[in-house]
Amino acid sequence: MRRIASGLMICGLVGSSSAASLDIIPLWDGLFVAGAPVELQALVGSDTGGAARIVVTSDDYRLDYSFEIEAGEPLRLALPLRPGLSGRVKAAVELPDGSRLIESLTLTREPRAVTVTSSARLPLTGSGYGPIGRLVLTPSRLAALNGDQSAALAAYLARCGGLVVPGASAQGLALLRAAAGCGGAGIRANVSASLPTVQSVLLPAAPESNPQRSILLLLIPYLLFLLGVATLRRLGIWLLAVPAGAALVIAAALPAVTGGITASTIAVMHAGDTTMRWRAWLLADGGAGRERLPLASGTEVPRALDGGPVELVRSAEDATPALVLPTRLLHQRRFELAGIAPAPWSFRAHLTRDLVHLVNESNEVMPAGWLWTGDRALSLPPLAAGAGMEADIGSAVTAGGRRPDHDIPCPLEGLVDASGPALLLPLANEPLLGNQGWLIIELSPAIAEA
């Protein structure tokens, strides 16, 4: 693999350790796609054991990672990041003996995801597959993956990533497809085979807040006081009334000022998938009650929608990084997050003429929802665990050109394949905040015409 040498810089050492070392290894020859996450691997060494810290920056992105290192034992770290458009990345490590090392490199931006035949190092996190549109692995290379590499590849496949395994057996392909998203449509054994394009998930409008309106609410007690001064010579009643009125107004206005954390989340999966792909808009106001939001396993590196910085922190005890949230009053941030999560329900779908047959194979009740096809929607009752039902597509009601009325919670335009039916179900425990979201289940890949 070609090493990136441009901009390499190692600063002076503080301390006596001659074994202190920092080696930053970019994957895929340093390629990245604008807006997509990547992974760097850092090899850190020190002859003094203890607490250490590495900070990785790229334009407005910052990852602050605290870890433990053993004396004389080099440690490999997987560093997920979303590079800035410049591609410039700097990593600075502080070692237990006081040594401080800095390495800089410049990644190469590609206009689109690439096809890679990998015989070199593979990612240890799902973020490492950000620039990859199709990966070619031999069966022997696939079987040789370690635990972290297998988990990272599984995350890539769950996001409907393309994988070609030349010479793979039918049984091996079936196992891979069962673990992949999009019904396993991205798994192939033929290198020359074309792979389907994965549809992106559109988002609903993010919730709005109006700090200026909130400030005006807080000014009401002061305005009342001035009115009292102007209209009455004696302030006795106003001196009693204004504090009580101020307390009531502030109690009503303060939540709008300090805000909180809200998210609009939509997840997508295909019938039969074991995972779902989710995407969310996060709105965080200063004074939300916490300074960091732990990111669920399988979450990609966040993207700032407001053009501000993205800062992640992680320690040796954390399974995943945490997103740093605003703490200043009236300070608001917007982020886009995406990831994968286990599917909440497992079921089969089959189409016979105008009837959709559904079987809930999970141990959980599938809630009431809607069956969509084209511009029509049909209300569905809850489906008990292990139970089945039939839905008549012909009885679906036209919903105004895929713009549903008030009885249907959100449109599916652009979210699913317009040629096939899909389910729209409430998601009671979305992966980001545990609030309610929406799950779209595409039925087409799991449906066979009788």
Side-chain angles (χ1 to χ4, degrees), residues 289-423:
R290 57 176 127 175
E291 298 179 358
R292 299 174 181 176
L293 175 66
L295 301 180
S297 177
T299 304
E300 297 179 5
V301 179
R303 183 171 69 93
L305 296 177
D306 51 19
V310 174
E311 184 175 359
L312 299 180
V313 293
R314 185 176 180 183
S315 67
E317 294 78 21
D318 299 329
T320 58
L323 175 64
V324 176
L325 299 175
T327 56
R328 299 199 308 266
L329 197 63
L330 304 179
H331 188 204
Q332 184 183 95
R333 295 298 314 278
R334 292 172 179 270
F335 300 96
E336 180 187 62
L337 294 97
I340 60 170
W345 306 287
S346 173
F347 65 94
R348 289 183 289 109
H350 180 73
L351 175 66
T352 305
R353 296 185 183 276
D354 287 337
L355 293 179
V356 175
H357 305 264
L358 301 175
V359 178
N360 183 3
E361 296 182 330
S362 62
N363 296 322
E364 301 291 335
V365 175
M366 194 171 70
W370 291 264
L371 172 66
W372 274 82
T373 177
D375 62 351
R376 296 179 297 163
L378 176 65
S379 177
L380 297 179
L383 185 59
M389 65 177 297
E390 291 184 349
D392 185 2
I393 294 178
S395 63
V397 177
T398 300
R402 299 180 66 81
R403 303 274 183 191
D405 57 24
H406 65 279
D407 292 326
I408 303 175
C410 65
L412 300 189
E413 184 175 5
L415 294 174
V416 296
D417 182 3
S419 63
L423 297 180

Side-chain angles (χ1 to χ4, degrees), residues 39 41 76 78 120-125 129 137 140-154:
E39 176 190 308
Q41 293 183 11
R76 184 177 299 276
R121 191 179 309 277
L122 290 176
L124 303 177
T125 67
Y129 286 96
L137 285 178
S140 59
R141 180 79 169 112
L142 189 61
L145 300 182
N146 62 32
D148 290 337
Q149 290 171 334
S150 296
L153 180 62

Side-chain angles (χ1 to χ4, degrees), residues 200-207 263-268 277-282 303 305 334-339 403 410-415 432 438 440:
S200 61
V201 180
L202 302 183
L203 299 175
S264 299
T265 304
I266 288 183
V268 177
R277 309 177 304 281
W278 61 267
R279 191 171 297 272
W281 272 353
L282 179 72
R303 183 171 69 93
L305 296 177
R334 292 172 179 270
F335 300 96
E336 180 187 62
L337 294 97
R403 303 274 183 191
C410 65
L412 300 189
E413 184 175 5
L415 294 174
L432 192 57
W438 293 101
I440 297 170

Side-chain angles (χ1 to χ4, degrees), residues 12 14 30 32-33 64 69 89 104 112 115 136 183 187 213 232 252 258 272 291 299 335 366 393 403 412:
V14 179
F32 79 100
V33 175
D64 191 331
I69 188 170
V89 180
S104 300
R112 62 184 63 86
T115 297
V136 182
I187 310 298
R213 180 172 176 268
L232 295 179
T258 60
E291 298 179 358
T299 304
F335 300 96
M366 194 171 70
I393 294 178
R403 303 274 183 191
L412 300 189

